[in-house]
Amino acid sequence: MLSVVTTDCAISAEMLEKALKISVAETYNCVSVDGDTSTNDTLLILANGKAENAKIESEGKDFDDFVCALNTLNTQMAKKIAADGEGATRLVTCDVVGADTKENARGLSKAVISSNLVKAAFFGADANWGRILDAMGYSGFNFTPEKTSVSFLSREGAKRYFDEGTQNGGKENSIKVFEKGVPLNFDETLAKKILSEKSVQILVELEDGSERGTAWGCDLTYDYVKINGDYRT
């Protein structure tokens, strides 16, 4: 991965580096295609100051606005990296809400999308909630299984859930498979339809706090093995 971000903003080198570190924690560092990283993986940010704004040299509203804009860009890039994984057929997003800390929310979400068993289940459009709970369990991050719920949402279902607050994202665009520590009887046909879309979402609802974390990954396909098995150095 070689990524270069450029901006016309006038901002000091120190604040530019700080903004990038803040943004990376919840964007690029929340992506996993196969769990591996490269010594060449690089993200650079360059600013030329040609916007001639009042130079950002300390924290404050201008700095916060800059970080917000940078997050918007980096989130889109993070999602594209995940969706463009070798042999991937769908983008998988995991949202963890209601965690006690941001660290736990991000750690749990990344553990889920990094699990090969979860990734393989999504390739097969299999609503296997057990693999999700398993990944959360061995992640080492805190959560209360007895207060945990899991739903699968299509892109439209996820949009309705987070933008409009629609409970469970709308009955045609989401399906809850696990509620407060108890497996649910659910419509397998609807679940397969949702999980067969190009962009699907895992929603993990906790009752441990108010923090949220998101991570992005992709499914694990036959083509992934073929591409990497045929690769020669």
Side-chain angles (χ1 to χ4, degrees):
M1 183 200 77
L2 301 174
S3 182
V4 180
V5 178
T6 61
T7 175
D8 289 341
C9 182
I11 182 171
S12 69
E14 292 76 15
M15 298 311 293
L16 187 63
E17 180 180 6
K18 185 169 187 175
L20 186 61
K21 286 182 176 179
I22 291 172
S23 180
V24 162
E26 53 190 84
T27 56
Y28 278 78
N29 284 356
C30 292
V31 170
S32 179
V33 171
D34 55 18
D36 283 323
T37 55
S38 168
T39 53
N40 294 330
D41 285 344
T42 301
L43 170 59
L44 299 176
I45 187 167
L46 306 171
N48 62 21
K50 288 188 176 181
E52 298 183 349
N53 56 285
K55 190 172 183 179
I56 301 173
E57 298 182 289
S58 61
E59 294 189 37
K61 184 180 184 304
D62 288 346
F63 177 75
D64 292 342
D65 289 344
F66 180 80
V67 171
C68 182
L70 184 60
N71 269 349
T72 299
L73 172 63
N74 285 346
T75 297
Q76 292 303 311
M77 293 306 298
K79 292 166 70 174
K80 288 180 181 295
I81 290 169
D84 194 41
E86 294 100 320
T89 64
R90 55 182 54 90
L91 170 67
V92 181
T93 301
C94 181
D95 270 297
V96 174
V97 299
D100 55 352
T101 67
K102 280 190 177 295
E103 180 185 16
N104 283 327
R106 290 174 186 165
L108 289 166
S109 61
K110 190 167 184 181
V112 170
I113 58 96
S114 298
S115 164
N116 281 337
L117 286 177
V118 171
K119 291 158 65 66
F122 273 84
F123 175 58
D126 176 15
N128 193 322
W129 55 264
R131 294 182 180 182
I132 293 168
L133 269 294
D134 179 55
M136 293 171 63
Y138 66 62
S139 70
F141 292 94
N142 182 62
F143 76 105
T144 307
E146 297 81 5
K147 297 181 179 179
T148 298
S149 299
V150 177
S151 300
F152 297 116
L153 298 83
S154 67
R155 180 170 59 182
E156 180 59 28
K159 183 177 187 301
R160 291 179 62 188
Y161 182 92
F162 289 108
D163 291 353
E164 303 173 15
T166 304
Q167 181 63 32
N168 208 28
K171 64 180 181 179
E172 296 302 319
N173 303 110
S174 70
I175 189 164
K176 183 172 285 189
V177 296
F178 192 80
E179 185 169 23
K180 295 184 179 180
V182 179
L184 300 178
N185 291 321
F186 59 90
D187 185 339
E188 291 277 2
T189 301
L190 175 58
K192 191 170 185 66
K193 177 183 176 183
I194 291 170
L195 296 181
S196 295
E197 296 194 16
K198 292 294 185 181
S199 178
V200 293
Q201 194 149 358
I202 305 165
L203 174 63
V204 178
E205 297 174 285
L206 308 178
E207 296 183 7
D208 300 319
S210 59
E211 298 294 345
R212 173 184 169 184
T214 301
W216 301 274
C218 57
D219 56 346
L220 180 60
T221 70
Y222 304 131
D223 283 342
Y224 175 88
V225 178
K226 182 178 180 181
I227 290 167
N228 287 279
D230 289 342
Y231 183 86
R232 301 292 295 175
T233 56

